[in-house]
Structure formats: C-alpha cells, structure tokens
Amino acid sequence: MSNRRAPLRPTLLAAAVASVLCAPALAQSQTEDQLPEVLVTAQRVSAPESQTPVAMSVLTSAQLDKLGIDNAAGIGARLPNVHLDGAADGLRITIRGVSNADATEKGDPSAAFMLDGIYIARPQFQTFSFLDVDRIEVLRGPQGTLYGRNTTAGVVNVISNAPVQQLEGAASLALGNYSSRVATGMLNVPVNDALALRAAVALDKHDSYLRNGQGSGYELGQDRDDRSARLSAKLALGRSASLLLRYEHATQHGNVDNIVPDTNFFKGIETGKPVWYGASTGERLTNRFKPFNTGLEQGYNHKSSDALGAEFSWNLGAATLDYLGSHRRNENDFLANFYYRVQPTLAIGVHENFWGDQRQDSHELRLSTNGSGPLKAQGGLYYFREESHQLYVFRDLQILTPLHLPPYYVFPHGPTIARSKAAFGQLTYSVLPGLRATAGLRYTQDDKSRVGSTNFQQGQDFNAATDFKLLNDASLNTHKMTWKLGAEYDLGPTAMAYGSVATGYKSGGFNDGCVAGASALGLPCPAAIAVPADTLLYQPETLKSWEAGVKARFWDKRASMHLAVFNYDYTNLQLSGVAIVAGAPRFVTQNAGQASVKGVELDGQVRAGAADNFSYGVTLLDAHYISYKPDGVTSWAGEPLDRAPHSVLNLGWEHTFRLPGAQMSAGINARRSAAYNISVSSQLLQYRIPARTSSDFNVSYRPDAGSWSVMARVKNLENKVQPITIDSFGMSVPSDPRTFDIRFDYHF
C-alpha cells in the first residue's frame, strides 16, 4: 500500500493570519460596505456567527439562490472539509474525512442531518428539495454535548423561515437544460396581533443526466421530480410565550437507476489497483452494461414524507423553557437494475425491489438562563424513537457460484427499533472580562433491536416446501458519557480566540445473522448457521477532539477570517461493505481500529467597497488510519480516509454594476480539490479520484424600485464528472454534469 500523506504546516499559516490581524485597520465608516452579521443557533441559543466559538459555515437563502443549491447534495462544494453526496441510497455526509456507508435501517450516520433542529435518521429522506429556507448551519467537529449521538463528524442543520407579523409573498420560476423546471411560492399572512400563518410550496423537476447505451430504451436515473409543501403557524401566548407549529408533506418520484459501472472511470480493477483514465463526460455518463443473465426493466423510485413539528418557548424571566418535538413518517418504494461484479472479470445483472416504512418521534425539553450575568447555562432531556419495516428482494442471483443461490434472495425485516434517551447540560462562566470558560456533559443511552430473516426462495412468495430462511435477530444496548471543555478570549471588539477538548459518540449496531441458541419468528438459530458475536455486533465509534480557532472581523468590519486547527483521535471507526457470512452475501459493518485526523481550515470574506465582494477558503487535511486490517491480514495503516483531500482551495468574487434605475451583479466561485480516495475495503480496492477544479457562475438583474429580478446560473463550467460513491460490486454514482438555468423571482 502506498502512503500519500504529507506533513501539515499550520505554523506558517497561523503566522500569516496573525500578521493580517495586526495590520492597521482602514478607515471606513459606511455601513453598506461592511459585512452583514448572521445570527445562528449553533449553541442552541441565538448569537452572532462571528461570536460563536465553533468551527462552522452558514449559507443564507440569498447565497443558496445565487449558487443554485436546492437540496443538501449541493452544499458541500462550498464548505471547508465537507462532502455531501447524493448517493444511490441517500445523502452521504463526510466532514473532515469522517463518513458512514451503512444507509440501511440498522445504520447510523457520523454527521447528523437536521431540519429545524429535528434529527432526520434515514439518509434516503435527507435528499428532498429545500423549501423556504432561512439558512443552513454546518458545524464541523464533534457536537456530542448539545446535539448528542451520531455527531462525531458534525451537524448539518437546515433552518426554515418561520411566520412573521408582516404580509409578504414570493414566487419564482427557473428553466434550464435537461428540461429543468423549478417553481416555488410563499405566502405569509398575519391573522391578528397574536397569530401569523405561512405557506410554502416547491416543484423541482429535470430529466436524467445519464445516457442509455444498453439499447433498452428505458429511462435512467439522476432525474428528479420533487414536490413539497409546508404550512406553519406561530401563535403568541401572551407576552412571554409562543408556539410554532409546522406540517410538511413531500414526495419524490423518479428513477433509482443512477449508477454506471466503475469501469467508466477506471481501468485495471481486476488487478486490484484501479487506474483513472481519460474519457469525455458523455462517455462517463453512459451506461452500456448489458447483463447476460437477465433482462433489464424500467426502474422507478417513489418516496413520501409527512411530518408534524412543534416548538414552544416560554420566557420565565431568569430562564427560558423550550420544547422541540416532531413526528415523521417516511415511505419508500423502488425497483433498481444493478451492476454486480461477482468476479474480477465477470459482472451480472441483479434486480432489487424495495419497500420500506419508517416512523420517528423526537422530544427535547431544554432550560436556558437569560440575562447578562457572568453565568450562562442550559440543560435538558432528550428522547428519540424510530421504528421501521422493510422488504428487500434481490432477483437473478442464482448465477453466483459457488453459493448456488436461488432466484430470489429476500430480506423481510421489521420491526427495527432504535431508542435514544439523553440528559445534557452546558455552562459558560466569565472568569475575567473577555475570558470565558465552558463545560458540558451529556449522558446517552441507546437501545437497538431488529428481527427478520434472510430467505432463499424459488419464487416471489415464500414456499415452505422449497424455500428456507435464516434468522436475523439481534439487539444491542450501549451508553456513553460525552463531554466538552472550552475557553474563549476576546482579542478585541471584533475578534475572539477559542479552544476546546470534546468527545463524540456514534452508537453501535448489528449485522445480519443471529447468535447460537437464539429463536424468533418461529425460527431457531443452530450453531451451524450462527454468527460469532464479534461479527454480529459492532461497537460504538468514539472520538476525542482538540481544536483551537480564531474568528475576526477587521478593516472596519469589511473583512472576516475564520481559522481552525484541529486534531482528532478516532477509535472503533465504523466501516461497511459486502462480505460472505454463513454462506451468503451480507452487508457488514465492522470497527476499523483507530484513525487520526488533523488539519487547518481558513475561510472568510472581503468586501472591497460597495461593488466587490470576495470569498476565500483554504483547507489542509491529514486523515489516515492508524490501525486497520480490512481482511484481517492486509494493513491499511497510514492509508488516507475516504473523501479526505489533502488540500482544497475555494475562491469567489461578486461584482455589482450600477445601471440607470437598476443594478446588475455577476459572480464566480471556483473550488480546487486535491486527489482523494474512495475505498471498498471488502474488496481491498482503493479508487484514487484525481485533483479537480470546478467553477460556477451567476449573473442577476434587479430594478431599484422593482419587485422582480432575473438571474442566470451555470454550475460546473468545466463539465467534468467523477464518482461520488463506488460500492462493493462496482456500481458508481457519477457527479452532475454542467447545468444552467434562468430564474425569475417576484416578491411583495
């Protein structure tokens, strides 16, 4: 194995930043030339982002519009050390090289995805279109105290607009290539002094980005047909309390056949050393695979989500009591045509039918202090429950040898139940003027269980005379205490330094199978088919993080700088892949041993007068395994973690032109990423994705006194694509090609 790591040099970067902070401020008093301040709730209380001692990024609704980002998969290209990829099985979040590949009902993410503070457990339901978004907060690093489990990598929190006491509305329509059609609408109505209502709708459609070279005439995936709606009501309960209710409904239709063979990008896979080769974007996006063992079918994908949420806030004087609760039901139904490489030079076609139903409930009660005293404290209780039922059906696996599987390989699973209970508290005390110390603690208890079976069937329905079942039955109870110690110091009126030591926790889980002697569903688990306990169960993933940073605004608040330096120590990193267990292919998660992650992040903005705004970002990252043997023999010690480029550079520029009675703005954003790996540990394969530059451009026109505007946008000007995921059988999901659209907005 090769070791591609290079030593980081944070000292020189820190010295350069210090010299900037010490530079004389330029005299400038025009407030329109200053950077706007954004209020965030990263610490669960409202505070300016520049005064929040956390490594984070914020994208406002205006920025999302300019960048053409309308779902979570588009966020990562604009953030330091963040990948958010729209994989075949849902959203894949990677922050600072830490990710998770188990998107099944038994898996958990390393980074929590939240909608209005509500944890969304399944990645399949994190891909819906954004709807009336106020801002998105992305927190990097473990957030185990205030946000809890499954936040070892960080948190992505999408925050919607709430009703306000003002009559307003907005509508937009965007048309682009690939028959793209995006329409949104919003209406906010104050009913009286106490009640305001807000409704929002969105439609987002485009044709497939992929090309069918199979000769079947069927439509392929990477298409889109999303529809969503939300109704919100905010009620003032006297002068000191308020209640916010939200109901959301969203559907997503299209095609789950959004893969191409990994051979569209790499040669030499059969040798165990994939090598990237040159090809046009059209060739990369063409699926030419024609299975010899089965016929192709028209794939489809149908998802729906319904959610009811409530936020209650009561100012008690010395403290504020907050409640946040939600009930969500998600359903998914799809048919996919898979490319399965079962031997180095042999691939077969496999069909998967899937149906799933998932329901989750969450409740959080939190008490936080008010006032300007030296002590700021908050604490609370949290409860989460998820129940899901699934049916996986794989067809045409009988060609697999030496397994001699029957035509139908079926997984009826459910209920799968996950419960999490937590108590948490965090306090900050002003030790000296300008110096504050923070301590936080959270205790979490997780209970998981699942019952189901692996069925070997001759037909679609189980026949006891010809078919047989293997029991899948497991449960796991884990608990963890996570904590945080931190300090922050005001370097000046608009600058602060902070440091922290914190821990993170991702719950453990189980794989398919059962332990000897177990019994459920009328099925025994004899020793001959039992799975050893250390294979059936995998342990929680834990992290300890050391981080220091500086946040500053200088040059009369016309420039900003965020600097973070971090060092992680990961233990029991959870990695997933397909392996043969008890004579059948199964999706297995195992603990990878230890990993080290350290790096530097520098980003900010510069407003050079009223007409020009610049953004910049530089990241250096060294994320590698300390100890890991994927097959129990081969050592990957020193090898990089997935999606962890050693360096990334982001640059953006927006210029505003004054016209008679109007203004025109043009902006360009470019990202240069170093090469990085996507690994398939079960096959001992490491795919090296080469370095890449990707650029976006937008131009807009707005009359000074008008209520409308028009914008044109181009994403991926270079029209280059690369794999964003590669699975154990060689199925690769490519990134998006060049897209462009023109958008018209109207508001009142």
Side-chain angles (χ1 to χ4, degrees):
M1 295 291 178
S2 61
N3 190 329
R4 301 182 179 90
R5 294 188 291 119
L8 293 176
R9 303 290 186 186
T11 305
L12 294 177
L13 181 58
V17 171
S19 67
V20 171
L21 286 176
C22 295
L26 299 179
Q28 177 57 261
S29 59
Q30 298 179 356
T31 57
E32 63 268 21
D33 289 347
Q34 296 179 348
L35 294 173
E37 184 67 86
V38 179
L39 292 178
V40 299
T41 52
Q43 295 290 280
R44 310 306 300 272
V45 292
S46 182
E49 187 275 333
S50 64
Q51 300 174 27
T52 301
V54 175
M56 66 177 298
S57 300
V58 182
L59 289 171
T60 65
S61 58
Q63 291 173 310
L64 295 173
D65 289 342
K66 289 179 180 178
L67 297 170
I69 299 174
D70 52 17
N71 69 357
I75 299 174
R78 298 290 158 244
L79 305 180
N81 275 331
V82 175
H83 282 254
L84 280 87
D85 300 313
D89 50 7
L91 187 67
R92 186 73 54 82
I93 305 176
T94 306
I95 300 179
R96 293 175 173 174
V98 179
S99 186
N100 176 67
D102 187 352
T104 68
E105 74 282 358
K106 60 186 177 57
D108 287 301
S110 297
F113 182 89
M114 295 185 169
L115 179 58
D116 295 316
I118 299 296
Y119 174 65
I120 308 299
R122 296 300 109 212
Q124 296 86 351
F125 301 97
Q126 300 169 1
T127 60
F128 288 110
S129 298
F130 290 152
L131 180 63
D132 194 23
V133 170
D134 174 64
R135 68 187 185 277
I136 300 174
E137 300 179 5
V138 180
L139 284 61
R140 302 184 293 276
Q143 307 297 325
T145 300
L146 294 180
Y147 290 89
R149 62 197 267 277
N150 304 335
T151 60
T152 49
V155 171
V156 178
N157 193 8
V158 180
I159 300 170
S160 309
N161 285 303
V164 295
Q165 284 293 326
Q166 177 179 325
L167 178 64
E168 61 181 6
S172 71
L173 175 65
L175 303 174
N177 61 336
Y178 295 97
S179 299
S180 173
R181 298 91 79 196
V182 181
T184 66
M186 179 278 294
L187 179 63
N188 188 99
V189 178
V191 178
N192 52 43
D193 291 342
L195 177 65
L197 302 177
R198 190 180 187 97
V201 295
L203 168 69
D204 197 329
K205 302 181 70 172
H206 67 70
D207 292 346
S208 174
Y209 295 150
L210 301 182
R211 302 181 181 182
N212 191 333
Q214 301 168 306
S216 67
Y218 293 136
E219 295 292 329
L220 297 183
Q222 288 205 319
D223 59 341
R224 194 165 175 183
D225 186 358
D226 292 10
R227 306 176 189 207
S228 52
R230 178 189 302 122
L231 179 62
S232 307
K234 188 169 185 179
L235 177 64
L237 303 173
R239 296 183 177 181
S240 59
S242 65
L243 175 65
L244 173 60
L245 299 175
R246 290 187 176 102
Y247 172 73
E248 302 174 17
H249 175 73
T251 61
Q252 191 174 78
H253 303 287
N255 197 328
V256 78
D257 287 339
N258 57 354
I259 59 96
V260 296
D262 54 359
T263 52
N264 280 26
F265 298 92
F266 293 91
K267 295 181 178 179
I269 299 169
E270 69 280 358
T271 68
K273 296 182 178 180
V275 177
W276 182 272
Y277 69 90
S280 69
T281 295
E283 292 171 329
R284 305 278 201 208
L285 295 176
T286 300
N287 188 352
R288 295 186 177 87
F289 173 64
K290 301 178 182 179
F292 68 90
N293 63 305
T294 187
L296 296 168
E297 301 178 21
Q298 178 60 65
Y300 60 83
N301 184 27
H302 304 302
K303 297 180 186 177
S304 67
S305 179
D306 290 273
L308 180 63
E311 297 181 35
F312 173 74
S313 182
W314 187 10
N315 189 329
L316 303 173
T320 295
L321 181 68
D322 289 288
Y323 165 79
L324 180 62
S326 173
H327 172 75
R328 178 175 295 268
R329 178 175 180 177
N330 303 311
E331 293 183 335
N332 192 12
D333 176 22
F334 70 73
L335 166 63
N337 296 272
F338 284 170
Y339 168 90
Y340 262 40
R341 186 170 53 245
V342 296
Q343 294 180 4
T345 59
L346 176 64
I348 65 171
V350 174
H351 296 102
E352 181 189 0
N353 291 90
F354 174 86
W355 174 86
D357 176 273
Q358 183 254 357
R359 303 185 187 194
Q360 65 168 68
D361 295 276
S362 64
H363 305 275
E364 181 181 84
L365 191 65
R366 185 169 53 86
L367 189 68
S368 56
T369 59
N370 297 324
S372 57
L375 179 65
K376 305 289 185 183
Q378 58 178 300
L381 301 172
Y382 176 78
Y383 175 80
F384 174 84
R385 185 184 189 277
E386 176 190 12
E387 180 174 337
S388 56
H389 300 258
Q390 293 81 25
L391 177 64
Y392 302 81
V393 179
F394 295 89
R395 297 183 274 124
D396 308 307
L397 283 166
Q398 66 269 26
I399 193 70
L400 286 176
T401 58
L403 301 179
H404 302 294
L405 295 179
Y408 287 82
Y409 185 48
V410 183
F411 295 85
H413 279 156
T416 302
I417 298 175
R419 294 186 182 90
S420 183
K421 304 173 185 177
F424 63 93
Q426 181 168 298
L427 58 87
T428 300
Y429 184 75
S430 295
V431 181
L432 296 171
L435 175 63
R436 297 169 294 280
T438 296
L441 191 66
R442 188 183 190 105
Y443 176 81
T444 302
Q445 178 179 321
D446 287 316
D447 303 311
K448 284 186 177 181
S449 65
R450 184 189 65 172
V451 64
S453 63
T454 299
N455 299 2
F456 300 86
Q457 301 178 192
Q458 298 299 319
Q460 183 172 352
D461 298 321
F462 184 82
N463 184 337
T466 58
D467 307 334
F468 67 95
K469 302 179 179 181
L470 298 180
L471 179 63
N472 292 324
D473 177 36
S475 63
L476 181 67
N477 302 318
T478 59
H479 60 88
K480 185 67 177 179
M481 189 82 74
T482 50
W483 51 267
K484 176 181 179 179
L485 296 174
E488 53 192 278
Y489 180 71
D490 295 331
L491 301 173
T494 60
M496 65 175 294
Y498 66 90
S500 66
V501 181
T503 60
Y505 158 72
K506 176 183 172 183
S507 57
F510 37 76
N511 297 303
D512 293 343
C514 54
V515 295
S519 177
L521 301 176
L523 298 174
C525 187
I529 63 169
V531 176
D534 57 356
T535 301
L536 181 65
L537 304 177
Y538 55 90
Q539 298 306 308
E541 177 181 287
T542 59
L543 170 151
K544 182 180 289 186
S545 165
W546 293 263
E547 185 160 331
V550 174
K551 290 189 174 185
R553 293 190 166 208
F554 49 98
W555 290 342
D556 195 29
K557 298 183 181 180
R558 293 189 301 141
S560 67
M561 181 213 69
H562 300 162
L563 171 68
V565 181
F566 55 90
N567 186 6
Y568 291 178
D569 181 10
Y570 262 98
T571 303
N572 284 334
L573 196 65
Q574 297 171 7
L575 297 178
S576 305
V578 175
I580 305 300
V581 178
R586 302 173 187 265
F587 192 81
V588 175
T589 298
Q590 59 177 326
N591 296 111
Q594 292 182 301
S596 172
V597 179
K598 54 187 175 182
V600 179
E601 297 165 348
L602 173 67
D603 67 291
Q605 299 182 62
V606 178
R607 180 160 288 184
D612 293 283
N613 194 70
F614 297 89
S615 61
Y616 64 90
V618 180
T619 65
L620 303 176
L621 182 65
D622 178 6
H624 64 276
Y625 298 106
I626 295 177
S627 62
Y628 177 40
K629 294 181 178 180
D631 61 353
V633 178
T634 307
S635 175
W636 276 15
E639 290 297 311
L641 301 184
D642 284 2
R643 301 174 186 85
H646 183 265
S647 62
V648 176
L649 173 65
N650 283 282
L651 292 174
W653 174 40
E654 183 178 24
H655 180 77
T656 300
F657 304 86
R658 287 302 310 172
L659 302 174
Q663 71 175 27
M664 179 176 288
S665 298
I668 187 167
N669 290 273
R671 176 186 178 96
R672 175 67 178 179
S673 172
Y676 59 87
N677 279 9
I678 295 179
S679 302
V680 179
S681 57
S682 61
Q683 308 294 324
L684 295 180
L685 292 175
Q686 292 183 314
Y687 298 85
R688 190 70 172 171
I689 312 300
R692 179 197 179 199
T693 298
S694 179
S695 308
D696 301 339
F697 174 78
N698 68 82
V699 59
S700 62
Y701 175 87
R702 180 188 297 274
D704 288 342
S707 56
W708 61 273
S709 64
V710 64
M711 178 189 304
R713 302 173 296 201
V714 183
K715 294 193 287 185
N716 187 10
L717 282 165
E718 295 81 1
N719 197 29
K720 299 294 184 182
V721 298
Q722 79 280 343
I724 58 177
T725 63
I726 305 175
D727 77 354
S728 302
F729 293 103
M731 291 185 283
S732 169
V733 176
S735 60
D736 295 348
R738 181 193 298 128
T739 59
F740 57 84
D741 68 356
I742 298 177
R743 169 171 163 156
F744 176 82
D745 282 270
Y746 173 78
H747 68 275
F748 66 87

